Amino acid sequence: PSITKGVTLEIPKVTWKDIGGLKDVKKELEKAVEWPMKYPASFSRLGINPIRGILLHGPPGCSKTTLAKAIANAANVPFISLSCTEMISKFVGQGEGYLREMFRKARLAGKSIIFFDEVDAVAGKRGHSSSGNSVAEERVLSTLLTEMDGLEEAKGVLVLAATNRREAIDDALLRPGRLDLKLYVPPPDLEGRFEILKVYTRKMKLGSDVDLRRLAEDTERFTGAELEGLCKEVGVEAIREAIRENKQASVIYGRHFQIVKNALKPALAA
Ligand code: ATP
């Protein structure tokens, strides 16, 4: 059976509203992805080529993957996500075949987005890693470059890639016509943290003493992933307290946020 059997392209359910902050990045993505997908005729009338590839780079846990999904949702196009580390480890020796098959599926779908997570795993600078690039890595990278060059004719297939190690990416992948647009996805600023906290507490029953603005101020250096983790844990903390005191948990108070927050060490602070 084909190694891509069962892999399907679907329109993701994640929307812009699920992502707090990052206004500028969202705007850039709208322009670069949503417009060409929605108004291809305008682009060809004006004689401009939409870009074919975008690199999202920045620290882990700051929503590169989630942004890629949300833009597919906004543009209403099917999406497929490939983990590049998996392509090397899981499909030993079959990485190129897998990749070619994925591009074929995307072309068949017409308008679509292929997302490469941890793209540095296959596109590290040649000859720069201490161990040297593996043969498997080299072969997957050259297949990726060939497939991307071939997208010129296949209109509507867009490549998005993500990395935490922008400086490690081979220049060949960053040339015009490949990943032309590089977007930095920063850790959340104060406003971003406030927005993220609002996203994750949307459905929670919060006490009136919970001050999310204040909490955003107190969580400098937290990533979106860590703020998400914090919000998930406060509910558990409220329940833990209620069990201990033999009560019913009904509201999440400021103290629950404090207890959980104090127990966390943000990775970016390290
Ligand atoms: P990695 O490099 O580790 O793959 P990433 O940058 O791709 O990380 P995601 O996987 O998109 O990050 O995010 C990790 C988790 O954190 C997800 O559950 C995501 O929803 C959440 N998250 C991160 N940033 C935000 C944000 N700005 N708004 C809402 N959720 C966020």
Side-chain angles (χ1 to χ4, degrees), residues 18-37:
D18 300 313
I19 301 177
L22 297 171
K23 274 202 200 82
D24 298 343
V25 181
K26 288 177 182 172
K27 240 187 248 151
E28 284 289 329
L29 283 172
E30 266 170 9
K31 205 165 55 185
V33 180
E34 199 177 331
W35 294 359
M37 292 286 189

Side-chain angles (χ1 to χ4, degrees), residues 18-22 58-67 117 164 196 199-200 224-225 228:
D18 300 313
I19 301 177
L22 297 171
C62 295
S63 91
K64 296 183 291 298
T65 305
T66 316
L67 280 168
D117 204 3
N164 310 325
I196 295 169
V199 167
Y200 289 109
E228 179 185 9

Side-chain angles (χ1 to χ4, degrees), residues 9-25:
L9 284 91
E10 277 163 32
I11 300 175
K13 300 214 164 55
V14 179
T15 71
W16 286 141
K17 284 208 261 4
D18 300 313
I19 301 177
L22 297 171
K23 274 202 200 82
D24 298 343
V25 181

